[in-house]
Amino acid sequence: ERARQQIQTTGIAGLREKELVRADGKRVPVLLGSAYVSEGPELITFLLDLSERKRAEATLERLRAERVVDARFRVLVEAAPDAIVVTNGRGEITLVNAQTERLLGYARTELAEAPIERLIPDRGRVDHPAELTGRRKDGTEFPLEITESRLETEEGVLAVTAIRDGLTARSSTAT
């Protein structure tokens, strides 16, 4: 009704979003506008399908929300007291925290996409976590303790591994 009054008064109805129902029952968001042609009685009305735009807006909103979740996850990983190494399904390192840099001597950039095996020498891979051995950047090996969790994501399963220097962990629990 407002659009009708507007077009009678000014000759143009302002743009407005509406939702139309197609013959198959599907709802379609549209942009609707009307105007008189010159001074005559002929009226032009147009409809612009906004479906793609609405999908893009929804995708953008989802990506913003994911970015917030990703940022929170990174803050949690960074705040952890243990070295944290996150690997993808191929065993490639995707994220480490500052404790990992301190414990192992690598910069984050050096570990990005590196295989997790870089940090655990061949002879240290055993079935009993208490016997694991880690390797620092300088080549020194040390006993380590790990705790691993699986995290389901849209990109696949991630392994989140907390690493502690086995000697330090044992000496702190002994005191």
Side-chain angles (χ1 to χ4, degrees):
E1 183 60 36
R2 196 172 106 205
R4 187 180 304 233
Q5 289 173 349
Q6 193 177 31
I7 202 162
Q8 288 173 347
T9 308
T10 65
I12 298 172
L15 298 177
R16 57 209 179 275
E17 287 190 26
K18 294 282 187 181
E19 192 174 74
L20 300 180
V21 180
R22 293 187 342 193
D24 64 3
K26 183 177 179 185
R27 296 184 173 279
V28 179
V30 297
L31 184 64
L32 176 66
S34 301
Y36 280 116
V37 177
S38 299
E39 304 266 332
E42 294 178 8
L43 181 69
I44 286 184
T45 300
F46 70 87
L47 295 172
L48 179 62
D49 185 342
L50 298 177
S51 300
E52 195 61 36
R53 177 178 151 202
K54 295 291 184 181
R55 274 192 291 277
E57 288 172 350
T59 299
L60 188 58
E61 185 59 36
R62 183 180 52 79
L63 290 173
R64 282 185 187 123
E66 287 176 5
R67 190 176 299 150
V68 167
V69 169
D70 185 55
R72 287 180 183 158
F73 176 73
R74 288 177 184 274
V75 166
L76 286 171
V77 166
E78 200 58 42
D82 295 328
I84 302 291
V85 178
V86 179
T87 55
N88 61 23
R90 296 180 302 280
E92 299 166 333
I93 298 170
T94 59
L95 179 66
V96 299
N97 65 357
Q99 295 290 14
T100 303
E101 291 178 298
R102 281 192 277 283
L103 179 64
L104 302 173
Y106 286 97
R108 293 167 201 249
T109 55
E110 294 176 286
L111 293 175
E113 299 181 6
I116 188 66
E117 288 79 14
R118 177 180 291 179
L119 306 179
I120 303 173
D122 290 336
R123 67 182 184 79
R125 291 186 212 139
V126 294
D127 294 331
H128 305 288
E131 299 174 20
L132 284 176
T133 301
R135 183 181 345 184
R136 293 185 174 90
K137 182 179 178 179
D138 65 9
T140 60
E141 295 182 3
F142 64 99
L144 61 85
E145 293 181 3
I146 66 168
T147 305
E148 187 173 91
S149 300
R150 299 276 182 215
L151 180 64
E152 296 281 339
T153 70
E154 288 183 10
E155 292 82 33
V157 178
L158 298 177
V160 181
T161 306
I163 302 172
R164 287 186 179 173
D165 180 323
L167 292 176
T168 306
R170 285 185 200 114
S171 66
S172 67
T173 57
T175 55

